[in-house]
Amino acid sequence: MPASFVPPRQVKIGDAAAFAGCTPRAIRHYHEIGLLPEPERGGDDRRRYGYEDMIRLLWIRRMADAGIALEDIREAFAEDSADAHGGDGIEAVLERVEGALAAQEAELRRQRTAVQRMRVEGSRMGLLSDLVTERLKGLPEGSLHQADLDTLLVTERIFGPLGAAVQATRFVALAVHPALREESDRVDAAEEALDDSVAVDDPRVAQVAAQRHAFEGALHAVIEESGLDADDDALFDAWDAAHPETGDNEENGSGSSSGRAMSVLEATGKMPYEFSPARLRCMELAAELSVLTADEGGGNPRLPT
């Protein structure tokens, strides 16, 4: 440097912030949390920063830029001050930071995979788990309804990927049997018509319940005849082989990456449905018919395929 240049022995907070690449407000915050010791003050009662203050400030900024939390930086300085050689404190902090960054990297890879799968599938189906999307691959274009994917999304949240993959069997059968899909749409519409204007003892409630029972029997028969139930058995076997030691709450992969895992009862109680009293009664009657049919050993009603 030129012989005539004499560097300052101390600088004010504005110059310190400019040199360190931060703001005076940030430096004041470092003082408040005990990360940067308060420096001497001049005759004007303003802070004056010397060489050691600036060295510490520069290290603080470099660590913060590396993603280290301020409380971890403070801990590292505290431990280093007790170590003649330094390094032990920051080593422990860096180990934690590296672990956190590795977890973030894994999450980013998972998110990118989901987006790529969605692009390949060309629909929101790609955002369901691999187990479910594999089950739905190869179906005729346009054979899946958005309502099908909505249902699978809810099922996966409550029962996990395995539960949704098994339920996907239903939509596979509907996708490859147009007459069955048509009947499904008709029964769904009849149930939706049981709104709040319909009394629970309205004759239509029992009629729609009988239609639902007949449809479910026909659907079950198609699933059996097409061998889709055997595919379900294979799914269970593959899942058991891949998850040999999971507990009761995890055996079906309940929960998801989107929030903490919940029990089936807890999750069911948190998902709202706009079911009128008449529609709920219809569901009860359909369930009673299923139990009655099972007790009597009756066969499943048939629909044209």
Side-chain angles (χ1 to χ4, degrees):
M1 69 180 63
S4 59
F5 176 78
V6 179
R9 300 186 65 178
Q10 293 178 320
V11 295
K12 296 180 181 179
I13 191 170
D15 292 330
F19 185 79
C22 62
T23 64
R25 182 178 180 180
I27 295 179
R28 294 189 187 97
H29 179 62
Y30 299 156
H31 291 317
E32 290 173 1
I33 64 175
L35 181 56
L36 182 65
E38 282 280 353
E40 298 178 0
R41 290 180 180 265
D44 56 1
D45 199 35
R46 293 185 177 181
R47 296 180 178 91
R48 295 291 191 273
Y49 297 86
Y51 178 82
E52 294 298 333
D53 299 318
M54 291 301 298
I55 290 296
R56 180 156 179 146
L57 178 58
L58 288 172
W59 279 122
I60 290 171
R61 293 303 307 162
R62 187 60 62 91
M63 293 180 190
D65 289 343
I68 303 176
L70 295 182
E71 54 267 27
D72 287 333
I73 298 175
R74 182 175 56 199
E75 179 183 337
F77 276 120
E79 294 184 12
D80 283 349
S81 64
D83 180 6
H85 300 288
D88 286 347
I90 191 61
E91 180 65 27
V93 169
L94 290 177
E95 184 177 354
R96 289 199 300 270
V97 171
E98 185 176 4
L101 291 175
Q104 293 174 18
E105 184 179 13
E107 177 62 16
L108 286 174
R109 285 198 300 268
R110 185 196 66 78
Q111 293 175 357
R112 185 180 182 188
T113 298
V115 171
Q116 289 175 333
R117 190 167 64 235
M118 184 177 179
R119 291 184 63 188
V120 170
E121 299 297 338
S123 75
R124 277 177 276 183
M125 185 178 78
L127 294 179
L128 297 173
S129 67
D130 291 340
L131 200 63
V132 178
T133 54
E134 285 296 324
R135 195 82 167 101
L136 299 174
K137 277 187 176 179
L139 296 179
E141 185 175 354
S143 60
L144 283 176
H145 293 183
Q146 182 58 49
D148 302 339
L149 300 180
D150 295 342
T151 299
L152 290 170
L153 178 67
V154 174
T155 300
E156 186 171 313
R157 179 66 183 126
I158 297 176
F159 295 100
L162 179 60
V166 171
Q167 188 186 42
T169 297
R170 174 187 190 89
F171 301 119
V172 171
L174 294 177
V176 297
H177 294 83
L180 203 60
R181 168 66 82 177
E182 183 178 347
E183 179 64 11
S184 174
D185 292 343
R186 189 189 67 78
V187 175
D188 287 345
E191 288 178 336
E192 291 175 3
L194 299 177
D195 55 23
D196 288 320
S197 67
V198 180
V200 294
D201 57 354
D202 189 297
R204 287 174 292 175
V205 175
Q207 292 171 2
V208 176
Q211 294 169 13
R212 169 57 67 185
H213 172 63
F215 168 75
E216 294 298 331
L219 175 61
H220 181 70
V222 167
I223 289 175
E224 284 189 335
E225 291 175 0
S226 60
L228 289 173
D229 56 337
D231 293 340
D232 289 345
D233 292 338
L235 274 176
F236 281 110
D237 292 340
W239 183 272
D240 289 341
H243 306 80
E245 298 181 357
T246 52
D248 291 341
N249 291 334
E250 299 176 332
E251 64 180 7
N252 292 331
S254 58
S256 73
S257 60
S258 303
R260 68 178 182 86
M262 295 182 287
S263 68
V264 171
L265 182 61
E266 182 184 8
T268 303
K270 294 181 182 298
M271 182 63 195
Y273 289 93
E274 295 182 359
F275 291 158
S276 67
R279 188 166 181 180
L280 289 172
R281 179 54 181 158
C282 177
M283 295 165 64
E284 292 174 354
L285 291 175
E288 291 172 5
L289 287 172
S290 296
V291 172
L292 182 62
T293 300
D295 290 343
E296 294 177 349
N300 292 315
R302 301 299 301 274
L303 291 173
T305 59

